[in-house]
Amino acid sequence: MNYTEEQIKEKAKQIIKDLLDEFYSDELIRKILFKENDTHLFGKYKGQKHPTWTVSVEALFDNVDFLHISDETGEPLYYQNFNTFVFNIDKTPEGKYFKVNEE
């Protein structure tokens, strides 16, 4: 494990704030889990095992979204909303995160 839960929580706050903008609050983060060998269904590690942090994010109507963050880089892998739409996440040169549709 390269990152602590607290470090991932701070990173998740930054990412979620960028993605949700004015709808963001610190209370949206429900739970953070670490899996040493998480098999990914989406993104650049699709079908591979990769050490991953999964952050549960409160969504509309008591639903839950999931933000997946790499334990190797500390950067987001993808965001999965409660409707199972998946978005890759990229970062501007200024360091602001944004969603990119899965291709």
Side-chain angles (χ1 to χ4, degrees), residues 26-43:
D26 286 349
E27 292 76 37
L28 292 178
I29 295 176
R30 287 188 176 177
K31 196 172 192 178
I32 300 173
L33 299 171
F34 175 73
K35 286 188 179 179
E36 190 170 343
N37 291 306
D38 192 20
T39 302
H40 289 272
L41 302 175
F42 308 99

Side-chain angles (χ1 to χ4, degrees), residues 5-51:
E5 184 174 333
E6 191 56 39
Q7 288 171 315
I8 293 299
K9 184 175 187 175
E10 289 307 309
K11 176 60 95 169
K13 285 179 184 180
Q14 176 189 1
I15 296 164
I16 296 165
K17 184 175 170 92
D18 286 350
L19 298 180
L20 300 180
D21 199 25
E22 71 267 9
F23 299 106
Y24 172 80
S25 75
D26 286 349
E27 292 76 37
L28 292 178
I29 295 176
R30 287 188 176 177
K31 196 172 192 178
I32 300 173
L33 299 171
F34 175 73
K35 286 188 179 179
E36 190 170 343
N37 291 306
D38 192 20
T39 302
H40 289 272
L41 302 175
F42 308 99
K44 70 179 188 176
Y45 294 105
K46 183 177 182 176
Q48 300 176 33
K49 293 187 183 288
H50 187 80

Side-chain angles (χ1 to χ4, degrees), residues 20 79 91:
L20 300 180
Y79 189 93
K91 185 166 52 170

Side-chain angles (χ1 to χ4, degrees), residues 36-103:
E36 190 170 343
N37 291 306
D38 192 20
T39 302
H40 289 272
L41 302 175
F42 308 99
K44 70 179 188 176
Y45 294 105
K46 183 177 182 176
Q48 300 176 33
K49 293 187 183 288
H50 187 80
T52 305
W53 292 90
T54 302
V55 180
S56 302
V57 182
E58 185 175 329
L60 296 172
F61 309 113
D62 256 352
N63 290 301
V64 179
D65 294 349
F66 299 99
L67 170 62
H68 301 268
I69 301 174
S70 170
D71 185 57
E72 289 181 355
T73 65
E75 291 296 319
L77 297 169
Y78 58 91
Y79 189 93
Q80 182 178 359
N81 77 6
F82 65 91
N83 288 329
T84 66
F85 290 114
V86 175
F87 301 93
N88 289 320
I89 300 172
D90 208 346
K91 185 166 52 170
T92 66
E94 298 77 31
K96 183 175 171 95
Y97 292 96
F98 61 96
K99 291 180 186 176
V100 179
N101 287 332
E102 178 81 7
E103 296 179 11

